[in-house]
């Protein structure tokens, strides 16, 4: 158990709908990262938040958005869902960006499997 | 932006033999290179990492080498065991700029009995 929690574990919805995925980082971690993993694909970095602020952006679609709240949990919002959005969405957390030593390790949550029908 | 290429995409080795996975990166400013292992249906987990001020790092049966000039790094697993079967991802990051980690597409390692 990495200490990162994600809810829900599974989500089945229809095209055009909107969903919210939730992530709670490890205690003390300030950074949260979101990744998308499609079938037989690698981990696509979507977005990173550090202490409530957006810090880095990857290949995140305009239909997707995220935020990190004062208690450091994060939510990833996916709207106007398409069949191709079906994937495993991972959240990861780390203590702090930009520091040498063990702080850069990212700890992954168990993922949320999204199925769009 | 950073791009990470990983080869091979699939690798089968006999139990007890060694496995080598190679990655190249494009951004010469990258200074942190982690390797993650993902077992079927599970989350990725860090198995070893190396920073740009080090050329090689070893942890029991796992070693990673880094060639900054050529911008490539490799994972070596010796005396492979059945539990080594998994997907392995290399990644590159520039700490101090942001913590965005760019992953390779992964190598599916099969350990044959």
């Amino acid at each position: 158990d990495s200490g990162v929690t994600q809810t829900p574990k599974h989500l089945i919805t229809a095209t055009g709908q909107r969903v919210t995925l939730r992530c709670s980082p490890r205690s003390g971690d300030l950074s949260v990262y979101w990744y998308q993993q499609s079938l037989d694909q690698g981990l696509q970095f979507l977005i990173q938040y550090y202490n409530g602020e957006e810090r880095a952006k990857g290949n995140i679609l305009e239909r997707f958005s995220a935020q990190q709240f004062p208690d450091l949990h994060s939510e990833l919002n996916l709207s106007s869902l398409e069949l191709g959005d079906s994937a495993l969405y991972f959240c990861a957390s780390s203590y702090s960006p930009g520091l040498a030593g063990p702080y850069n390790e990212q700890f992954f949550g168990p993922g949320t499997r999204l199925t769009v029908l | 932006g950073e791009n990470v290429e990983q080869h091979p995409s699939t690798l089968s080795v006999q139990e007890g033999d060694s496995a080598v996975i190679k990655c190249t990166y494009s951004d010469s400013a990258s200074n942190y290179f982690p390797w993650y292992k993902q077992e079927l249906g599970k989350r990725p987990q860090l198995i070893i990492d190396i920073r740009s001020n080090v050329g090689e790092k070893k942890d029991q049966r796992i070693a990673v080498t880094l060639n900054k000039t050529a911008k490539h790094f490799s994972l070596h697993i010796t005396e492979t065991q059945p539990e080594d079967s998994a997907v392995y991802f290399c990644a590159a990051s520039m700490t101090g700029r942001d913590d965005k980690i760019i992953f390779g597409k992964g190598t599916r390692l099969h350990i044959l009995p």
Side-chain angles (χ1 to χ4, degrees), chain A residues 1-14:
Chain A
D1 185 2
S2 67
V4 180
T5 61
Q6 288 186 251
T7 56
K9 194 171 182 179
H10 300 279
L11 198 48
I12 301 174
T13 188

Side-chain angles (χ1 to χ4, degrees), chain B residues 3-7 20-28 33 35 50 54-55 64-76 90-92:
Chain B
N3 183 49
V4 177
E5 299 282 340
Q6 182 171 350
H7 300 281
V20 180
I21 301 170
K22 298 182 179 182
C23 291
T24 59
Y25 60 99
S26 60
D27 189 347
S28 56
F33 306 92
W35 286 86
I50 191 167
V54 175
V64 58
T65 58
L66 171 65
N67 183 327
K68 283 192 299 181
T69 304
K71 291 190 284 187
H72 67 69
F73 55 115
S74 301
L75 178 72
H76 304 252
C90 64

Side-chain angles (χ1 to χ4, degrees), chain B residues 27-71:
Chain B
D27 189 347
S28 56
S30 292
N31 60 5
Y32 174 64
F33 306 92
W35 286 86
Y36 283 82
K37 175 183 180 182
Q38 186 178 25
E39 297 177 1
L40 191 62
K42 298 195 175 177
R43 74 192 78 192
Q45 289 189 285
L46 182 74
I47 54 171
I48 195 167
D49 57 12
I50 191 167
R51 299 185 185 277
S52 58
N53 58 347
V54 175
E56 184 174 356
K57 184 176 178 180
K58 192 172 181 179
D59 182 4
Q60 299 182 339
R61 296 185 298 108
I62 295 173
V64 58
T65 58
L66 171 65
N67 183 327
K68 283 192 299 181
T69 304
K71 291 190 284 187

